[in-house]
């Protein structure tokens, strides 16, 4: 019996080697990866630039110092993040929930600074922001929250893509200090915000003096063809939590602030022992540079569009919707489809199912079009067999 705590329902497969978009299990079987460790392995496996940067940092002997001292790699990583986000200040942490926890604290502090004793944050139905007490309270899923009550107070929930609901809250709740939104909900089923809605939401934030928090932990960092989804909508938020793909697999998170949120945190307001250490920062620098130099954002759009178009062409009965943006792909079926994960693994394809009935693909950004065709070639027959079997049953 394993001593690993039983918090995940795991597939009986262990990957032990990787190269590009390919993985090998302990028995030597080869798999095509269309999930990237849930949007983490941006550069796939064994990317030379990332490997070299990490090895050099390890060889320097200084993989960790402390935030008590200057960390030149952290300064260089923050400069790059400021450049791509258009924002000003970066707080480094180690995960998505920590980035969101920091964002929630910024929103509360911002509220207090404006004389609101009990600041509230507007959050969305079906959102996922993490599993700490504050972030699970912000999350719009009873499954994630059940058993952990009392929840953290101060969240007001509205449906995604419903601007009127936000205006309603604005009209009667004087405690709101921020809106927090995943512009494309990942765990919730690849639910894409309309760009018009995001712009409307930003206008309400500007009218009310609220912070706009764009949780781009899953959808950000090049996956949709721009660095961030808010850039498709053409405005700048105040707070952008990041993690997952930021260092190509090295654990790192970042809470990036600017505009109305600039300067809200002062020395002593927040901290992290590991956050921004030299090893993680060398991962950030190498990953962001590779995305830019290798034009991986353009590739992400081609690959995502190709996969969606090819699956659409197959016109499989039982597919209710095919959606997403760039290499963030959701295929909604008319029935629960968790079993598809193992069936695809048997066919040598790694993907995932979320929200019970949405097949999710988040391929590494290094995937090329031939490999994307191969994803479709492996997925199509498994999908058809799955839907036919269930239809006959
Ligand atoms: C949008 C979003 N925010 C936050 C998180 C939490 O990140 P982590 O698991 O690194 O804490 C996730 C994880 O799936 C996410 O998708």
């Amino acid at each position: 019996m394993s001593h690993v705590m039983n918090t995940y329902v795991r597939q009986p497969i262990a990957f032990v080697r990787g190269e590009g978009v390919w993985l090998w299990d302990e028995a030597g079987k080869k798999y095509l990866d269309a999930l990237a460790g849930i949007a983490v392995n941006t550069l796939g496996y064994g990317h030379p630039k990332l490997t070299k940067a990490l090895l050099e940092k390890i060889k320097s002997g200084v993989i960790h110092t402390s935030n008590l001292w200057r960390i030149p790699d952290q300064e260089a990583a923050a400069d790059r993040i400021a450049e791509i986000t258009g924002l000003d200040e970066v707080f480094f942490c180690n995960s998505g929930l920590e980035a969101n926890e920091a964002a929630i604290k910024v929103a509360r502090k911002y509220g207090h600074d404006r004389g609101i004793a009990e600041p509230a944050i507007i959050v969305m139905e079906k959102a996922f922001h993490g599993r700490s007490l504050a972030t699970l309270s912000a999350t719009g899923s009873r499954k994630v929250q059940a058993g952990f009550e009392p929840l953290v107070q101060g969240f007001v929930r509205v449906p995604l893509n419903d601007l009127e609901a936000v205006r309603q809250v604005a009209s009667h709740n004087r405690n709101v200090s921020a809106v927090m939104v995943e512009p494309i909900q990942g765990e919730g089923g690849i639910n894409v915000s309309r760009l018009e809605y995001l712009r409307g939401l930003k206008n309400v934030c500007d009218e009310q003096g609220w912070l706009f928090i764009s949780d781009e932990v899953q959808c950000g960092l090049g996956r949709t063809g721009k660095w961030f989804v808010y850039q498709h909508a053409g405005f700048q938020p105040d707070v952008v939590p990041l993690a997952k793909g930021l260092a190509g697999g090295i654990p790192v998170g970042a809470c990036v602030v600017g505009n109305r949120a600039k300067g809200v945190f002062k020395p002593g307001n927040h901290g992290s022992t590991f956050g921004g250490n030299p090893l993680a920062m060398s991962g950030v620098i190498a990953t962001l540079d590779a995305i830019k130099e290798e034009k991986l954002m353009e590739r992400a759009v081609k690959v995502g569009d190709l996969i969606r178009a090819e699956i659409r062409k197959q016109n499989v009965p039982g597919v209710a919707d095919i959606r997403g943006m760039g290499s963030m792909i959701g295929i909604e079926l008319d029935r629960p489809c968790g079993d598809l994960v193992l069936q695809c693994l048997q066919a040598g394809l790694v993907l995932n199912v979320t929200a019970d009935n949405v097949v999710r693909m988040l391929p590494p950004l290094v995937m090329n079009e031939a490999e994307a065709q191969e994803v479709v070639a492996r997925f199509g027959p498994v999908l058809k067999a799955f839907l036919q079997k269930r239809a006959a049953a």
Side-chain angles (χ1 to χ4, degrees):
M1 199 195 95
S2 166
H3 293 285
V4 174
M5 194 181 277
N6 196 16
T7 55
Y8 277 88
V9 180
R10 294 173 204 270
Q11 299 295 339
I13 284 170
F15 298 117
V16 291
R17 188 164 81 78
E19 205 182 299
V21 295
W22 300 93
L23 283 166
W24 284 262
D25 70 12
E26 289 166 308
K29 180 175 167 179
K30 190 176 174 187
Y31 300 80
L32 178 53
D33 180 23
L35 189 62
I38 322 185
V40 170
N41 301 314
T42 328
L43 305 181
Y45 301 91
H47 190 284
K49 191 176 182 92
L50 179 61
T51 305
K52 181 165 175 273
L54 295 175
L55 284 176
E56 274 173 13
K57 192 48 64 181
I58 290 168
K59 281 189 196 144
S60 78
V62 184
I63 58 175
H64 179 82
T65 57
S66 164
N67 282 304
L68 295 174
W69 293 282
R70 271 192 56 226
I71 303 176
D73 293 310
Q74 191 179 121
E75 292 164 9
D79 286 350
R80 281 168 174 74
I81 294 174
E83 189 192 326
I84 62 175
T85 55
L87 304 184
D88 299 301
E89 303 170 349
V90 189
F91 174 83
F92 285 106
C93 49
N94 313 286
S95 65
L97 82 80
E98 285 174 72
N100 281 331
E101 192 80 26
I104 292 166
K105 282 182 66 176
V106 167
R108 284 197 169 185
K109 178 78 168 35
Y110 174 77
H112 280 277
D113 290 350
R114 302 170 84 222
I116 303 173
E118 297 198 358
I121 302 173
I122 296 181
V123 291
M124 304 296 155
E125 289 174 6
K126 298 187 185 169
F128 184 82
H129 297 297
R131 289 176 179 273
S132 66
L133 280 173
T135 57
L136 75 80
S137 302
T139 289
S141 156
R142 277 303 297 152
K143 227 162 129 182
V144 170
Q145 296 171 340
F148 302 107
E149 299 84 356
L151 299 181
V152 172
Q153 299 296 295
F155 296 104
V156 181
R157 197 167 305 284
V158 296
L160 186 72
N161 279 327
D162 182 348
L163 199 56
E164 194 40 45
V166 176
R167 289 198 187 281
Q168 284 288 324
V169 178
S171 70
H172 65 77
N173 189 332
R174 304 317 303 161
N175 286 336
V176 175
S177 66
V179 173
M180 186 166 180
V181 61
E182 289 168 85
I184 303 177
Q185 293 181 332
E187 303 304 302
I190 314 292
N191 306 315
V192 184
S193 301
R194 283 181 285 105
L195 297 181
E196 203 45 50
Y197 166 75
L198 291 176
R199 284 190 281 266
L201 204 52
K202 173 71 166 95
N203 286 341
V204 178
C205 287
D206 289 346
E207 284 159 24
Q208 302 290 333
W210 299 341
L211 301 183
F212 189 114
I213 305 173
S214 190
D215 177 352
E216 305 237 4
V217 166
Q218 189 162 151
C219 62
L221 293 163
R223 187 158 284 285
T224 64
K226 291 191 187 284
W227 283 109
F228 303 104
V229 180
Y230 64 80
Q231 291 165 343
H232 291 281
F235 65 83
Q236 269 188 8
D238 303 289
V239 185
V240 182
L242 300 174
K244 286 195 182 281
L246 186 54
I250 297 294
V252 64
C255 179
V256 192
V257 306
N259 300 308
R260 277 191 286 276
K262 188 176 170 185
V264 168
F265 270 179
K266 305 276 189 298
N269 282 148
H270 204 46
S272 163
T273 294
F274 285 123
N277 85 14
L279 180 68
M281 295 301 102
S282 63
V284 172
I285 294 165
T287 302
L288 296 180
D289 287 353
I291 293 174
K292 195 166 153 184
E293 287 159 12
E294 296 171 26
K295 299 191 173 18
L296 298 183
M297 291 188 263
E298 289 160 33
R299 210 184 251 225
V301 173
K302 282 194 184 132
V303 160
D305 286 351
L306 185 154
I307 292 175
R308 272 185 297 272
E310 290 296 317
I311 296 172
R312 217 168 261 138
K313 250 194 242 165
Q314 297 186 358
N315 212 2
V316 186
V319 173
D321 191 22
I322 299 172
R323 57 180 177 255
M325 200 179 197
S327 278
M328 207 169 172
I329 303 156
I331 302 145
E332 183 176 333
L333 306 189
D334 64 359
R335 66 203 76 176
C337 57
D339 293 350
L340 259 178
V341 174
L342 188 55
Q343 292 166 15
C344 285
L345 283 171
Q346 283 157 353
L349 177 64
V350 182
L351 47 65
N352 158 263
V353 166
T354 190
D356 287 338
N357 64 339
V358 182
V359 178
R360 173 172 53 169
M361 295 188 197
L362 302 161
L365 305 190
V366 293
M367 184 174 277
N368 64 34
E369 287 171 80
E371 290 159 341
Q373 289 284 8
E374 185 60 26
V375 169
V376 178
R378 292 179 186 213
F379 179 61
V382 179
L383 178 68
K384 275 181 210 151
F386 173 81
L387 288 168
Q388 273 164 13
K389 195 159 58 187
R390 289 297 189 86

Coordinates of all heavy atoms in Angstrom, one line a residue, residues 38 94-98 100 128-131 182 184 186-187 215-219 243-244 360, ligand 1:
I38 N -1.4 19.3 -17.2 CA -2.5 20.3 -17.0 C -1.9 21.7 -17.2 O -1.8 22.5 -16.3 CB -3.2 20.2 -15.7 CG1 -3.4 18.7 -15.3 CG2 -4.5 20.9 -15.7 CD1 -4.3 18.5 -14.0
N94 N 4.6 30.0 -5.3 CA 5.0 28.7 -5.7 C 3.9 27.9 -6.4 O 4.1 26.8 -6.9 CB 5.5 27.8 -4.6 CG 6.5 28.6 -3.7 OD1 7.6 28.7 -4.1 ND2 6.1 29.1 -2.6
S95 N 2.7 28.5 -6.5 CA 1.6 27.8 -7.1 C 0.5 28.7 -7.5 O 0.5 29.9 -7.1 CB 1.0 26.8 -6.1 OG 0.5 27.5 -5.0
G96 N -0.5 28.2 -8.2 CA -1.7 29.0 -8.6 C -2.5 29.5 -7.4 O -2.9 30.7 -7.4
L97 N -2.7 28.6 -6.5 CA -3.6 29.1 -5.4 C -2.9 30.2 -4.6 O -3.5 31.1 -4.1 CB -4.0 27.9 -4.4 CG -3.0 27.4 -3.4 CD1 -3.0 28.2 -2.1 CD2 -3.4 25.9 -3.0
E98 N -1.5 30.1 -4.5 CA -0.8 31.1 -3.8 C -0.9 32.5 -4.5 O -1.0 33.5 -3.9 CB 0.6 30.8 -3.6 CG 0.9 29.7 -2.5 CD 2.3 29.3 -2.5 OE1 3.2 30.1 -2.1 OE2 2.6 28.2 -3.0
N100 N -3.4 33.4 -6.4 CA -4.7 33.9 -6.1 C -4.9 34.4 -4.7 O -5.6 35.3 -4.5 CB -5.7 32.8 -6.5 CG -6.0 32.7 -8.0 OD1 -5.8 33.7 -8.7 ND2 -6.3 31.6 -8.5
F128 N -12.7 28.2 -11.0 CA -11.7 27.4 -10.1 C -10.5 28.3 -9.8 O -9.9 28.8 -10.7 CB -11.3 26.1 -10.7 CG -10.4 25.3 -9.8 CD1 -11.0 24.5 -8.8 CD2 -9.0 25.4 -9.9 CE1 -10.2 23.8 -7.9 CE2 -8.2 24.7 -9.0 CZ -8.8 23.9 -8.0
H129 N -10.3 28.5 -8.5 CA -9.2 29.4 -8.2 C -8.2 28.7 -7.2 O -7.2 29.3 -6.9 CB -9.7 30.7 -7.5 CG -10.5 31.5 -8.4 ND1 -10.0 32.1 -9.6 CD2 -11.8 31.9 -8.4 CE1 -10.9 32.8 -10.2 NE2 -12.1 32.7 -9.5
G130 N -8.4 27.5 -6.8 CA -7.5 26.8 -5.9 C -8.1 26.1 -4.7 O -9.4 26.2 -4.6
R131 N -7.3 25.6 -3.9 CA -7.8 24.7 -2.8 C -7.4 25.2 -1.4 O -7.5 24.4 -0.4 CB -7.5 23.3 -3.0 CG -8.3 22.7 -4.2 CD -7.8 21.3 -4.5 NE -8.5 20.7 -5.6 CZ -9.7 20.0 -5.5 NH1 -10.3 19.9 -4.3 NH2 -10.2 19.4 -6.5
E182 N -11.7 34.1 -14.3 CA -10.8 33.4 -15.3 C -11.4 33.7 -16.6 O -12.5 33.3 -17.0 CB -11.0 31.9 -15.1 CG -10.5 31.2 -13.9 CD -11.0 29.8 -13.9 OE1 -10.4 28.9 -14.5 OE2 -12.1 29.5 -13.2
I184 N -10.9 32.4 -19.4 CA -11.4 31.1 -19.9 C -11.3 30.1 -18.7 O -10.2 29.9 -18.2 CB -10.5 30.5 -21.1 CG1 -10.4 31.5 -22.2 CG2 -11.1 29.2 -21.6 CD1 -9.5 31.1 -23.4
G186 N -10.9 26.9 -16.9 CA -10.3 25.7 -17.3 C -11.0 24.5 -16.6 O -11.7 23.7 -17.3
E187 N -10.9 24.4 -15.3 CA -11.5 23.3 -14.6 C -13.0 23.2 -14.8 O -13.7 22.2 -14.8 CB -11.2 23.4 -13.1 CG -9.8 23.4 -12.7 CD -9.0 22.3 -13.2 OE1 -9.3 21.1 -12.9 OE2 -8.0 22.5 -14.0
D215 N -7.5 35.9 -13.5 CA -6.8 34.7 -13.1 C -6.4 34.0 -14.4 O -7.2 33.3 -15.0 CB -7.7 33.8 -12.3 CG -7.1 32.5 -11.9 OD1 -6.0 32.2 -12.4 OD2 -7.6 31.8 -11.0
E216 N -5.2 34.1 -14.8 CA -4.7 33.5 -16.0 C -3.7 32.3 -15.7 O -2.8 32.0 -16.5 CB -4.0 34.6 -16.9 CG -4.9 35.7 -17.2 CD -5.1 36.0 -18.7 OE1 -4.6 35.3 -19.5 OE2 -5.8 37.0 -19.0
V217 N -4.0 31.7 -14.5 CA -3.1 30.6 -14.1 C -3.1 29.5 -15.2 O -2.1 28.9 -15.5 CB -3.6 30.1 -12.8 CG1 -3.0 28.7 -12.4 CG2 -3.3 31.1 -11.7
Q218 N -4.3 29.2 -15.7 CA -4.4 28.1 -16.7 C -4.4 28.7 -18.2 O -3.8 28.1 -19.1 CB -5.7 27.3 -16.5 CG -5.7 26.0 -17.3 CD -6.7 25.0 -16.8 OE1 -7.2 24.2 -17.6 NE2 -6.9 24.9 -15.5
C219 N -5.1 29.7 -18.4 CA -5.3 30.2 -19.8 C -4.2 31.1 -20.3 O -4.1 31.4 -21.5 CB -6.7 30.9 -19.9 SG -6.9 32.3 -18.9
A243 N 0.7 31.0 -12.8 CA 1.4 29.8 -12.3 C 1.6 28.8 -13.4 O 2.0 29.2 -14.5 CB 0.7 29.2 -11.1
K244 N 1.3 27.6 -13.2 CA 1.3 26.5 -14.2 C 2.5 26.6 -15.2 O 3.5 26.1 -14.9 CB 0.0 26.4 -14.9 CG -1.1 25.8 -14.0 CD -2.3 25.4 -14.8 CE -3.5 24.8 -13.9 NZ -3.3 23.4 -13.5
R360 N -10.7 17.6 -22.2 CA -9.9 18.8 -22.2 C -8.5 18.5 -22.7 O -7.9 17.5 -22.3 CB -9.8 19.3 -20.7 CG -8.8 20.5 -20.6 CD -8.8 21.1 -19.3 NE -8.6 20.2 -18.2 CZ -8.4 20.6 -16.9 NH1 -8.4 21.9 -16.6 NH2 -8.3 19.7 -15.9
Ligands
LIG1 C1 -7.5 29.1 -13.2 C2 -6.8 28.5 -12.0 N1 -6.5 29.2 -10.9 C3 -5.8 28.6 -9.9 C4 -5.5 27.3 -9.9 C5 -4.8 26.7 -8.8 O1 -3.5 26.4 -9.1 P1 -2.6 25.4 -8.2 O2 -3.1 24.0 -8.4 O3 -1.2 25.6 -8.7 O4 -2.7 25.8 -6.8 C6 -5.8 26.5 -11.1 C7 -5.4 25.1 -11.1 O5 -6.0 24.3 -11.8 C8 -6.5 27.1 -12.1 O6 -6.8 26.4 -13.2

